[in-house]
């Protein structure tokens, strides 16, 4: 009797699955056009903004590596997220108070794990040297108002490269991105929108999309309408998140152009599928 019940339950379950499968509600679709950007390199797997994280991003077949840039005491473009070295190295103090030679003394891998002990702080010059030919680069200027002349330094570095189509420069600082655009109009720039300011007015959208090729949001603070408004104006949208587990599914639901993630593995682990409604 129990066995019979189990058989009936299995038959009913199979029928339900077939019904769902045939009513057109659950078609699986791969979206290969979604850009994958390794946030601070593939920083879920290796210390953020280091050579290892950038190499891992390439290995995982990301389209771009995202990195953050500050200026050292001697005017070198230093790749690090925070304006100080406390969290990500074995030292402490502000980047602006050290020369590059001094910053080289610190270990940028050990706070992530012993496996990465000895990892060196990188410069933007080195990142371009080593990765320009391999992958796109999304370069974020961190608090550029604190580093007068940082836009000019980046432009002078980028001028060494003939084809800048694989480079995007971004910042939360709108004026800095306007400046980058006027210094080097062929370079694509992106404006990062602070979560609290994500509901942009029509006027603000017009202003940003007049010079920015991308308007980038934290995925938890936008909706499809806002994405559409940017895209209708001819710009693209990238979304990022540090902890929203629905980053990928929301990104697809909203129809954005790319995802900035610490774990750019989805492309090879499993193709992205979504449920068509
Ligand atoms: O690229 C988006 C993202 O990098 C902005 O936030 O703090 O990780 O630099 P944060
Ligand atoms: Ca960043």
């Amino acid at each position: 009797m129990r066995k019979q019940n189990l058989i009936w339950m299995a038959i009913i379950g199979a029928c339900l699955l077939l019904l769902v499968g045939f009513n057109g509600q659950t078609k699986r679709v791969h979206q290969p056009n979604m850009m994958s950007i390794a946030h601070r390199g593939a920083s879920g797997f290796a210390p953020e903004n280091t050579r290892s994280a950038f190499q891992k991003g390439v290995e995982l077949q990301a389209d771009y590596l995202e990195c953050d840039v500050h200026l050292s005491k001697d005017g070198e473009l230093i790749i690090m997220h925070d304006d100080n070295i406390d969290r990500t190295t074995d030292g402490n103090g502000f980047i602006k108070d050290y020369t590059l030679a001094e910053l080289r003394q610190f270990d940028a891998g050990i706070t992530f794990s012993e496996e990465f002990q000895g990892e060196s702080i990188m410069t933007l010059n080195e990142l371009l040297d080593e990765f320009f030919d391999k992958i796109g680069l999304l370069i974020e200027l961190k608090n550029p108002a604190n580093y007068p002349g940082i836009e000019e330094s980046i432009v002078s570095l980028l001028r060494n490269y003939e084809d800048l189509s694989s480079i995007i420069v971004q910042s939360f600082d709108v004026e800095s991105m306007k400046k980058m655009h006027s210094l080097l109009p062929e370079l694509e720039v992106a404006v990062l929108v602070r979560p609290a300011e994500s509901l942009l007015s029509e006027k603000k959208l017009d202003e940003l999309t007049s010079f920015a090729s991308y308007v980038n949001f934290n995925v938890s603070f936008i909706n499809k309408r806002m994405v559409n408004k940017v895209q209708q104006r001819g710009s693209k949208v990238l979304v990022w998140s540090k902890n929203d587990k629905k980053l990928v599914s929301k990104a697809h639901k909203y129809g954005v152009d790319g995802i900035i993630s610490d774990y750019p593995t989805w492309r090879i682990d499993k193709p992205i599928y979504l449920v068509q409604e």
Side-chain angles (χ1 to χ4, degrees), residues 58 62-65 124-137 160-167:
V58 173
D63 298 298
Y64 283 78
L65 303 172
L124 185 60
N125 208 333
E126 290 166 338
L127 183 77
L128 282 157
D129 259 2
E130 294 174 38
F131 293 91
F132 178 83
D133 290 340
K134 299 185 177 73
I135 189 168
L137 298 172
N160 296 322
Y161 297 84
E162 207 171 297
D163 178 6
L164 293 177
S165 60
S166 63
I167 306 279

Side-chain angles (χ1 to χ4, degrees), residues 69-71 77 139-155 158 168-185 187-192 194 204 207-208 211-212:
V69 179
H70 300 259
L71 274 186
L77 293 158
I139 302 164
E140 179 178 350
L141 276 65
K142 275 283 178 227
N143 302 317
N146 294 343
Y147 303 110
I150 191 169
E151 293 88 355
E152 285 82 355
S153 294
I154 289 182
V155 167
L158 293 181
I168 308 167
V169 171
Q170 68 174 357
S171 183
F172 286 102
D173 187 323
V174 175
E175 293 313 309
S176 173
M177 290 304 93
K178 279 185 185 165
K179 186 173 177 183
M180 286 298 296
H181 177 67
S182 64
L183 289 170
L184 203 51
L187 175 72
E188 289 193 307
V189 301
V191 170
L192 284 160
R194 294 187 192 285
K204 193 74 187 167
E207 181 200 338
L208 299 183
F211 67 93

Side-chain angles (χ1 to χ4, degrees), residues 108-127:
I110 190 69
T111 60
F112 185 87
S113 100
E114 276 186 13
E115 188 195 334
F116 294 96
Q117 185 166 13
E119 190 86 41
S120 174
I121 289 169
M122 278 190 93
T123 63
L124 185 60
N125 208 333
E126 290 166 338
L127 183 77

